[in-house]
Amino acid sequence: MTQVGEGHETAADGAGPVMTFGAPAVGEILAERYQLEQHVNNDSAGRQVWRGIDVILRRAVAVVLRHPGGDSATEMLQAAVAASRVIHPNLVGVYDAIDEQERAYVVREWVDGESLRDLIGAEGPLDPARAIAIAHSVADALTAVHATGMVHGNVHPGSTLIADDGRVVLADARADAADSTESDVRAVGGILYFALTGHWPHTEVGRSGLPDANRDSSGNPAAPRQIRAGVPAYLDDLTMDLLDRRVAAPASDALTAELGRLDAASEEDEFEDVGPLRFVQGGSSGSSEPVRSAPKILLGVGALVVIAIIGLIFGINAINDTSSNADSGQSTTADGAAGQDDTPDATQTQAPDPKPIKLTADMVRIVDPPPGDRDDADEAKLTVDGNQETAWKLAWYSQPKFGNTKKGMGLLINLGEARSLSEVQVTTSAPGVVMDLRVGTSDFGDSSNGDKKVLEQFKSLSDAEGGPAKSTGTKHVLSVADPTQKYQYVMVFLSELPRNEETPGYQVNVNEIELYGY
């Protein structure tokens, strides 16, 4: 169930009691339009949050009510009016704001899902890739808010909602005089910290219900890598720099670009090699790096000096060797003379031929994201049995894109260890299938929720070549552009089906899948 209207408590919020007088009831219709269906919770400001229905547009809405209305509700209503002017996929849509004096209420988009606070409470800290994806969405929402001159003021695990369809939505903007665009950006560091550790590093007024960060004697939070193994050093630095007020905070659009660069990385081990921060500070001219702490600068300079010295030594040795060869009359050409280099020319080295990779039934499974019924899971083994007569038979759909009910279906292959690949060959019962090859860092479990995570986090290898391609025959070859890369988890993903002429509708069988590599 969506937790709407949750966030940090301000001093004013903590003083307000939960609304009792004039409290609404199930079935009541507000403003002759919004019918209340279920009381969801009371937020940190003492307001009631309801799930309702817009009886005119027949859509679910969230209704946040405050008692009393009038002057005491001015800030809430003004924040709602301002938020309604910003339209962004990562911001909760605000539909209405009404003051009835006795009570006031804001009507907003209803998002089926749960807050980041509840997600971490149920599942524990997230893997680095998912933490980055969530922070990226939040930063992108803030960029849209800041572009209008507004401040959100309530970036918090309780106001960060994770929808059932994977969308990350920021809710409940309510800035006060103490908030700024900088505090919004630093709160993204808090979101990263919370997602990685399950602890909240920012001091709050009142009882937030979030576990406080582990702190040193000076009150500074411990770095994520000190709390939990597996956090990449680069991500650790980024998180702590956002929390450190001695380090200049980037503008929200620069932070969005940096997190987007990380979000595009398909494997966690790439995070260690992404290079220095690439913030472009708002209002700066010519500077493309953020202010960094002195130890990090000195370490970087020291490393450059060491590299320069090593390069100088090798250069001097190379010059001396060349001079020695010339003085002794030794030839450096490949004619069999005394100075000949026995190392074969790289242009003459032949790459090994790719070989078929043996696949067994326990290495493959079908990915059928919600709302799929997963009733054909047992047919995955038929795609690797070496028999072209057996097949995974997909269901019939009225539209080519799986009836417009989901993004597609796939066959996930776990190779057991990271392998270099050259191509994947897919044999189908008919041409015209749109498919691509996707890779990820893990399988999230043979379940609807696991399939949903696979779809969210696996990256397509076809994006650099214009996206998924439509097969022109019954055998479709998916090439791997960089055979030096290694992958353990590979998925053949079908996103569009061909028309079947025998029976009206769209359907195909996947007869066989073959992998080739080194």
Side-chain angles (χ1 to χ4, degrees), residues 73-92:
T74 299
E75 182 179 333
M76 178 186 81
L77 297 173
Q78 287 178 343
V81 171
S84 69
R85 299 180 183 136
V86 186
I87 308 299
H88 191 275
N90 298 118
L91 287 171
V92 165

Side-chain angles (χ1 to χ4, degrees), residues 84-387:
S84 69
R85 299 180 183 136
V86 186
I87 308 299
H88 191 275
N90 298 118
L91 287 171
V92 165
V94 178
Y95 303 144
D96 217 337
I98 300 172
D99 183 8
E100 294 180 348
Q101 296 302 312
E102 180 181 286
R103 63 189 179 188
Y105 45 92
V106 173
V107 182
R108 300 186 298 210
E109 174 189 5
W110 176 265
V111 181
D112 282 312
E114 60 186 334
S115 67
L116 177 62
R117 178 196 60 196
D118 293 340
L119 176 65
I120 299 296
E123 300 184 9
L126 306 180
D127 64 80
R130 193 173 186 194
I132 288 171
I134 290 173
H136 181 208
S137 296
V138 171
D140 201 16
L142 290 176
T143 297
V145 172
H146 294 173
T148 67
M150 293 166 43
V151 175
H152 188 277
N154 191 27
V155 180
H156 185 274
S159 61
T160 302
L161 309 180
I162 316 298
D164 289 341
D165 62 2
R167 186 167 62 112
V168 177
V169 187
L170 188 58
D172 201 22
R174 44 186 166 106
D176 57 31
D179 294 309
S180 65
T181 55
E182 179 181 342
S183 64
D184 276 353
V185 167
R186 295 203 184 278
V188 178
I191 293 294
L192 270 173
Y193 192 95
F194 183 74
L196 291 169
T197 68
H199 295 268
W200 183 239
H202 294 297
T203 302
E204 296 184 317
V205 177
R207 299 173 60 190
S208 71
L210 296 178
D212 188 32
N214 297 330
R215 300 181 185 275
D216 60 21
S217 58
S218 301
N220 299 314
R225 282 168 70 92
Q226 295 176 303
I227 300 173
R228 171 191 174 195
V231 177
Y234 174 79
L235 183 57
D236 189 82
D237 285 345
L238 172 60
T239 302
M240 296 307 291
D241 282 352
L242 289 172
L243 298 176
D244 189 349
R245 295 192 177 277
R246 297 170 300 177
V247 178
S252 55
D253 57 348
L255 178 58
T256 299
E258 182 66 7
L259 289 168
R261 186 167 71 100
L262 277 180
D263 198 8
S266 62
E267 296 186 13
E268 290 181 19
D269 56 8
E270 293 181 6
F271 296 160
E272 300 290 352
D273 303 318
V274 291
L277 296 176
R278 298 178 182 175
F279 293 143
V280 178
Q281 299 295 332
S284 66
S285 57
S287 175
S288 60
E289 298 292 336
V291 177
R292 309 293 286 173
S293 60
K296 292 177 182 177
I297 294 175
L298 292 176
L299 182 62
V301 172
L304 290 175
V305 171
V306 172
I307 293 172
I309 293 173
I310 293 173
L312 181 60
I313 293 172
F314 275 104
I316 292 173
N317 288 339
I319 292 173
N320 289 339
D321 289 344
T322 302
S323 300
S324 176
N325 287 341
D327 292 341
S328 61
Q330 292 180 346
S331 171
T332 57
T333 62
D335 57 2
Q340 180 177 343
D341 185 0
D342 292 331
T343 304
D345 189 344
T347 60
Q348 299 176 357
T349 303
Q350 303 242 348
D353 293 331
K355 298 179 180 179
I357 298 175
K358 181 174 177 55
L359 301 177
T360 57
D362 61 335
M363 298 170 66
V364 297
R365 75 173 186 87
I366 290 171
V367 173
D368 189 5
D373 52 23
R374 301 172 51 77
D375 61 358
D376 51 359
D378 290 340
E379 296 183 1
K381 61 187 178 184
L382 302 179
T383 65
V384 295
D385 61 358
N387 185 354

Side-chain angles (χ1 to χ4, degrees), residues 164 365-377 392 406-412 438 442-458 491 493:
D164 289 341
R365 75 173 186 87
I366 290 171
V367 173
D368 189 5
D373 52 23
R374 301 172 51 77
D375 61 358
D376 51 359
W392 165 30
K406 53 190 172 185
K407 294 183 178 180
M409 296 179 67
L411 191 88
L412 179 61
R438 304 187 182 190
S442 63
D443 185 352
F444 298 97
D446 190 2
S447 64
S448 293
N449 190 49
D451 288 354
K452 175 184 170 185
K453 290 182 179 180
V454 166
L455 189 59
E456 291 172 355
Q457 300 196 23
F458 273 48
M491 177 172 63
F493 192 74

Side-chain angles (χ1 to χ4, degrees), residues 394 400-402 407-410 426 428 430-438 460 462 466-473 476 478 492-499 506-508 510:
L394 281 75
K401 295 184 177 180
F402 289 81
K407 294 183 178 180
M409 296 179 67
V426 185
T428 59
V433 186
V434 176
M435 66 179 77
D436 65 323
L437 192 62
R438 304 187 182 190
S460 175
S462 303
K470 179 179 291 189
S471 63
T472 57
H476 195 46
L478 302 170
V492 175
F493 192 74
L494 284 63
S495 53
E496 189 171 333
L497 303 174
R499 175 180 288 279
Y506 296 83
Q507 190 271 341
V508 77
V510 178

Side-chain angles (χ1 to χ4, degrees), residues 5-17:
E6 292 293 331
H8 71 78
E9 297 180 20
T10 65
D13 291 339

Side-chain angles (χ1 to χ4, degrees), residues 354-357 359 383-384 411 413 415 419-427 435-439 461 474-481 487 489-494 510 512-517:
K355 298 179 180 179
I357 298 175
L359 301 177
T383 65
V384 295
L411 191 88
I413 304 168
L415 295 174
R419 298 283 300 268
S420 298
L421 300 178
S422 62
E423 67 181 32
V424 177
Q425 297 183 10
V426 185
T427 303
M435 66 179 77
D436 65 323
L437 192 62
R438 304 187 182 190
V439 295
L461 296 181
T474 56
K475 175 162 282 192
H476 195 46
V477 178
L478 302 170
S479 299
V480 179
Y487 310 102
Y489 298 94
V490 181
M491 177 172 63
V492 175
F493 192 74
L494 284 63
V510 178
E512 202 71 19
I513 291 182
E514 303 166 83
L515 269 65
Y516 293 83

